[in-house]
Amino acid sequence: MNELSFIRKNLRSKRRSLTSFEQKQAQLDVLHHLNTLPIFHSSKKIGLYLHAFGEVHTELLIALCFKKNKQVYLPMICSMNQKLVWVKISKNQYINRRFSHHPLGMKEPMASRAKHVASLDLLLMPLLACDQYGTRIGMGGGYYDRTLATAKHRPYRLGLAHQFQFIEHTLERQSWDQPLDALLTPQRVYYFKR
């Protein structure tokens, strides 16, 4: 097993072992930090995700976006090119859980008009690991990397993670990897130079 496979396996296991109380506390702490960020307050169109695999939960973050009159966009996998497109959802749609199930295990917004990631101001991204240079390891499908690689205008990329997902040593960055601008954990915000 190579180092990357080991990191993926180890962190997936750690995420799955979090209790509902730990997840709730992590979400509250991340929510507090997010609400202090100038980039959050200045952004109108915000891309988020619906948690499905132990990532930092996003219900309260989505609720905060609606409360602050932000436009909320959720990712949907485009089957033609395996990239993500972003679907605007209404508060009503979110509250009533009008989502479809993707074969990979996550929920997606119902197909409707979708936008390219370049139209977003802020993108909150899930991840498995991140190092001190903003190198992000995702779940392994490459959807975010493929999508961001083609964006003429790149939204501000803010990773969301539990503290143990911040890796002290340098992760190997591949040519296709799309780094983060910042990482938000329950403990703090890390900023990276592009």
Side-chain angles (χ1 to χ4, degrees), residues 10-113:
N10 183 31
L11 292 177
R12 274 195 187 112
S13 173
K14 269 188 163 176
R15 270 197 335 196
R16 277 195 303 268
S17 69
L18 290 168
T19 66
S20 58
F21 174 79
E22 288 170 322
Q23 279 286 17
K24 188 176 277 188
Q25 193 57 55
Q27 183 180 199
L28 284 169
D29 292 340
V30 163
L31 178 76
H32 169 73
H33 289 307
L34 180 66
N35 205 14
T36 67
L37 298 182
I39 187 67
F40 172 70
H41 291 286
S42 66
S43 296
K44 298 269 181 271
K45 297 175 181 173
I46 300 180
L48 290 114
Y49 59 90
L50 297 171
H51 62 271
F53 308 106
E55 309 96 330
V56 170
H57 289 190
T58 54
E59 300 111 316
L60 297 178
L61 310 185
I62 292 170
L64 178 66
C65 288
F66 284 127
K67 184 179 174 188
K68 301 276 184 185
N69 295 314
K70 309 289 185 187
Q71 294 176 27
V72 175
Y73 291 82
L74 296 176
M76 189 171 74
I77 298 173
C78 178
S79 53
M80 289 189 306
N81 60 13
Q82 295 301 293
K83 290 181 184 172
L84 298 173
V85 291
W86 299 87
V87 178
K88 184 179 175 185
I89 61 161
S90 68
K91 185 176 182 180
N92 203 29
Q93 185 181 359
Y94 180 69
I95 290 168
N96 292 316
R97 300 273 182 241
R98 293 203 192 111
F99 303 115
S100 60
H101 285 275
H102 189 274
L104 290 177
M106 66 280 197
K107 291 179 183 168
E108 292 184 316
M110 299 291 193
S112 68
R113 276 194 223 122

Side-chain angles (χ1 to χ4, degrees), residues 108-125:
E108 292 184 316
M110 299 291 193
S112 68
R113 276 194 223 122
K115 292 189 177 276
H116 190 276
V117 72
S119 65
L120 302 177
D121 301 314
L122 172 62
L123 178 59
L124 279 70
M125 302 166 64

